Amino acid sequence: MVRNVLGSILALAGATAAVWSPFRAWYDGRHGSTYRIDDLFSGISATKAQVAGSILLPFAFAALVTLVGLILRSRILVAVAGLITLGFAILWMVRQGQVTGSLSVDSSGNGLGQGVAMALGGGLALLLAAGLLPGRRAAEPEPRPRSDVPTPDTPYEAPYEAPYEPRHALPADEQPPYEPPDGRPRA
């Protein structure tokens, strides 16, 4: 249970960091929400995107997959959400590196910003959470009845003996009629 709680908290923190990251500076003060999702596949451009068409979209999808994974207690879905987050952050870094020639970080705030770090950290947190979550357990099989114990509907079989039948009993048509016993009843 502790693993489930810690894994869930870590997964929610990772998903929150991933969704929050586009609203932070990604490169040279430019927020991640201004990068178009198309820029990840065709190359980074100076054109600014609307929030709904920005790189926020894959991170929001990863957060949704995380929530579904936590509800269903699926380690695989949480891991997929982490891979989506890391994949899009790394893809952005590759495209940005192609445009600028290199990726840099300096003390004056130029280069890679906090948003990239949050996206990468959120993706790693989701992967750690997937490893920490216990996941679903397979249903316990129903116990099989023991084969050496007869059940009420089981006919007599070897090694069990047939019910006792006295050998000296008379056939049913030759038995004397029932007569009550003589004397007082026993107490």
Side-chain angles (χ1 to χ4, degrees), residues 29-78:
R30 184 176 175 187
H31 284 244
S33 60
T34 62
Y35 290 101
R36 296 181 314 158
I37 191 121
D38 297 338
D39 289 351
L40 297 178
F41 303 104
S42 61
I44 304 289
S45 67
T47 308
K48 293 190 176 193
Q50 298 295 324
V51 174
S54 71
I55 61 173
L56 171 66
L57 194 61
F59 296 129
F61 178 72
L64 180 66
V65 171
T66 300
L67 290 176
V68 171
L70 289 176
I71 290 170
L72 297 177
R73 294 178 55 190
S74 173
R75 298 171 73 176
I76 294 173
L77 286 177
V78 175

Side-chain angles (χ1 to χ4, degrees), residues 133-146:
L133 287 171
R136 288 191 286 181
R137 291 189 181 112
E140 294 288 329
E142 291 186 24
R144 293 183 296 171
R146 291 180 38 187

